[in-house]
Amino acid sequence: MLPPPDLAELEPNELESLLSIQGAERFHARQIYRWVYRHGLEQFDGMTDLSRRLRDNLTGTLAFSTPQIANRERSSDGTEKFLLSLADGRTIESVFIPDTPVMTFCVSTQVGCAMRCGFCLTGRMGLTRHLTAGEIAGQVRVLARELDLQERRFNIVLMGMGEPLHNYDATMKALRILASPAGLALSPRRITLSTVGILPALARLATEPWIPNLAVSLHATTDTVRHLLIPTSRHQRLRDLISACKQLPLKHRDRITFEYVLLEGVNDTPADAQRLARLLLGLRAKVNLIPLNAAPGIPFSRPSDQQIDRFARSVATAGVIVSVRKSRGRDIRAACGQLIVEGGSGQSSAQRVAELLRK
Ligand code: SAH
């Protein structure tokens, strides 16, 4: 027997169809969405503007999965990390950052990650599985409810565990769910998708009716170094990645962010700064430098503040907008690349790469 449909996985139009199959009016979809996304309800019973009959009917025919909070930790800087457990017992992490300068939810798209970037702890886990659209949107639903922010403005960054473009369909569906006017009504301008830049997926993204802000993890200015840092980029050239970015339709005044993890002695030289600026010439781009969040088992070091400053100035002088990301929630391991929920391995290969790069 097929499992019942899960409300968490339904976009408004899918919910409408389902209602009409059951002989109910389609407009109830808006009411249900409002209860779920604006009021945080997890049961049909409390949806008091639906008839008792419809509520009972829905309870009998629809499942509704919501990630459960297994742990919640608060950093001294106000950042909060949520460990959420999913229907199959797998766990993921989502992070709330109170002021960047806007309130921001950092959301996961996979359990683990298949990209295996040499400096990222999540990459060590490998990929356990993709998240469903409902599990991706569900993180926002749960955090907004827990923090009582359903009626407030916040941003979403897909920078938690996982590679969003490796889980393309579920990610885009989750964004449609979150953008739905009856629900949280998040505008695409409030959502940033961070990616290593999978070329066919970027081409597909360029054809979407609405596109979130894009942050591309560049991390290197030569193919050799990039291939070593991001093993899955091995079949991709930087120039092709840049061309793919040029194909993305940008709205007036929008820019693509290029993330660049600064690793001492690996990609932080004056020549790198020059090459970085040259690569991005002619693109509506801004660079976000991310000083490495070091962790045991990560075989790289963070450059000194002075070095970081010099690199940033040099990129800026070459005419590119640049910012340095402030690390948040490091004391609770909530910072970039520190989300990990299951033991990982692969340390030796990362170590090898680090040695190669320092040569
Ligand atoms: N898979 C997506 C989202 C990853 S997390 C991507 O690759 O873009 C968001 C950013 O944090 C990425 O740029 C990622 O490379 C970076 N990151 C990963 N580990 C890090 C670490 N230890 N220190 C600093 N940034 C890190």
Side-chain angles (χ1 to χ4, degrees), residues 106 109 113 115 117 119-122 158-164 193-197 215-219 230 259-263 290-295 298 325 335-338:
C106 176
T109 53
C113 186
M115 300 299 118
C117 300
F119 44 82
C120 178
L121 278 182
T122 309
L158 300 179
M159 296 188 187
M161 304 167 74
E163 166 50 48
L193 186 155
S194 178
T195 176
V196 292
V216 177
S217 291
L218 206 62
H219 305 330
I230 311 174
E259 294 162 292
Y260 194 94
V261 170
L262 279 171
L263 309 169
I290 320 178
L292 175 75
N293 291 310
I298 298 284
R325 188 177 298 180
C336 294
Q338 297 197 313

Side-chain angles (χ1 to χ4, degrees), residues 31-142:
Q31 293 168 300
I32 297 171
Y33 243 66
R34 175 169 276 275
W35 282 115
V36 168
Y37 290 95
R38 300 259 184 102
H39 300 282
L41 251 64
E42 288 178 27
Q43 243 104 46
F44 295 105
D45 211 37
M47 303 184 182
T48 47
D49 53 0
L50 304 182
S51 71
R52 162 62 51 203
R53 211 174 128 230
L54 180 57
R55 279 183 265 168
D56 289 346
N57 223 343
L58 291 171
T59 307
T61 53
L62 267 185
F64 188 19
S65 331
T66 299
Q68 300 298 310
I69 299 176
N71 195 21
R72 182 173 169 174
E73 280 177 277
R74 198 186 161 91
S75 156
S76 55
D77 66 20
T79 301
E80 289 196 60
K81 185 168 80 169
F82 292 80
L83 179 72
L84 300 177
S85 87
L86 308 171
D88 66 351
R90 298 285 181 195
T91 49
I92 48 168
E93 290 182 326
S94 319
V95 178
F96 168 64
I97 309 152
D99 51 351
T100 58
V102 198
M103 291 189 289
T104 301
F105 295 162
C106 176
V107 167
S108 296
T109 53
Q110 295 176 317
V111 182
C113 186
M115 300 299 118
R116 297 191 180 273
C117 300
F119 44 82
C120 178
L121 278 182
T122 309
R124 290 295 161 74
M125 292 172 58
L127 178 67
T128 303
R129 70 165 171 88
H130 293 309
L131 294 183
T132 64
E135 288 168 335
I136 298 170
Q139 297 166 62
V140 180
R141 186 155 54 82
V142 168

Side-chain angles (χ1 to χ4, degrees), residues 20-332:
S20 87
I21 291 168
Q22 296 193 354
E25 296 284 354
R26 299 170 78 90
F27 72 83
H28 293 309
R30 288 187 67 83
Q31 293 168 300
I32 297 171
Y33 243 66
R34 175 169 276 275
W35 282 115
V36 168
Y37 290 95
R38 300 259 184 102
H39 300 282
L41 251 64
E42 288 178 27
Q43 243 104 46
F44 295 105
D45 211 37
M47 303 184 182
T48 47
D49 53 0
L50 304 182
S51 71
R52 162 62 51 203
R53 211 174 128 230
L54 180 57
R55 279 183 265 168
D56 289 346
N57 223 343
L58 291 171
T59 307
T61 53
L62 267 185
F64 188 19
S65 331
T66 299
Q68 300 298 310
I69 299 176
N71 195 21
R72 182 173 169 174
E73 280 177 277
R74 198 186 161 91
S75 156
S76 55
D77 66 20
T79 301
E80 289 196 60
K81 185 168 80 169
F82 292 80
L83 179 72
L84 300 177
S85 87
L86 308 171
D88 66 351
R90 298 285 181 195
T91 49
I92 48 168
E93 290 182 326
S94 319
V95 178
F96 168 64
I97 309 152
D99 51 351
T100 58
V102 198
M103 291 189 289
T104 301
F105 295 162
C106 176
V107 167
S108 296
T109 53
Q110 295 176 317
V111 182
C113 186
M115 300 299 118
R116 297 191 180 273
C117 300
F119 44 82
C120 178
L121 278 182
T122 309
R124 290 295 161 74
M125 292 172 58
L127 178 67
T128 303
R129 70 165 171 88
H130 293 309
L131 294 183
T132 64
E135 288 168 335
I136 298 170
Q139 297 166 62
V140 180
R141 186 155 54 82
V142 168
L143 265 61
R145 184 197 65 207
E146 276 306 299
L147 299 157
D148 205 12
L149 295 175
Q150 282 129 331
E151 299 296 335
R152 302 275 302 277
R153 281 183 186 280
F154 51 79
N155 289 351
I156 293 186
V157 294
L158 300 179
M159 296 188 187
M161 304 167 74
E163 166 50 48
L165 292 189
H166 185 213
N167 185 15
Y168 189 95
D169 291 326
T171 297
M172 294 311 288
K173 183 172 185 179
L175 297 189
R176 288 193 297 273
I177 291 175
L178 294 170
S180 159
L184 289 166
L186 269 156
S187 126
R189 329 204 76 225
R190 296 203 159 269
I191 302 174
T192 300
L193 186 155
S194 178
T195 176
V196 292
I198 298 169
L199 294 182
L202 277 177
R204 212 175 144 195
L205 190 67
T207 66
E208 292 284 347
W210 66 263
I211 303 176
N213 301 315
L214 199 68
V216 177
S217 291
L218 206 62
H219 305 330
T221 58
T222 64
D223 283 323
T224 315
V225 174
R226 192 161 196 270
H227 294 169
L228 285 164
L229 291 177
I230 311 174
T232 50
S233 75
R234 262 196 306 260
H235 306 292
Q236 189 194 74
R237 288 178 310 174
L238 270 168
R239 50 184 292 195
D240 296 330
L241 175 59
I242 299 294
S243 306
C245 291
K246 285 191 176 148
Q247 300 308 314
L248 282 160
L250 283 183
K251 290 223 186 66
H252 184 54
R253 286 201 302 188
D254 280 356
R255 289 173 188 279
I256 299 179
T257 300
F258 288 88
E259 294 162 292
Y260 194 94
V261 170
L262 279 171
L263 309 169
E264 186 180 31
V266 173
N267 63 1
D268 65 343
T269 64
D272 279 304
Q274 293 305 315
R275 276 195 299 266
L276 179 56
R278 221 176 306 131
L279 259 174
L280 302 180
L281 220 67
L283 248 173
R284 298 233 300 275
K286 55 187 175 186
V287 167
N288 189 217
L289 299 173
I290 320 178
L292 175 75
N293 291 310
I298 298 284
F300 296 103
S301 354
R302 176 196 185 96
S304 68
D305 287 349
Q306 204 185 15
Q307 188 92 2
I308 293 166
D309 195 53
R310 208 178 303 141
F311 193 91
R313 274 172 205 281
S314 163
V315 175
T317 308
V320 179
I321 300 173
V322 56
S323 58
V324 180
R325 188 177 298 180
K326 213 168 114 194
S327 160
R328 306 300 306 262
R330 252 197 289 172
D331 53 344
I332 54 164

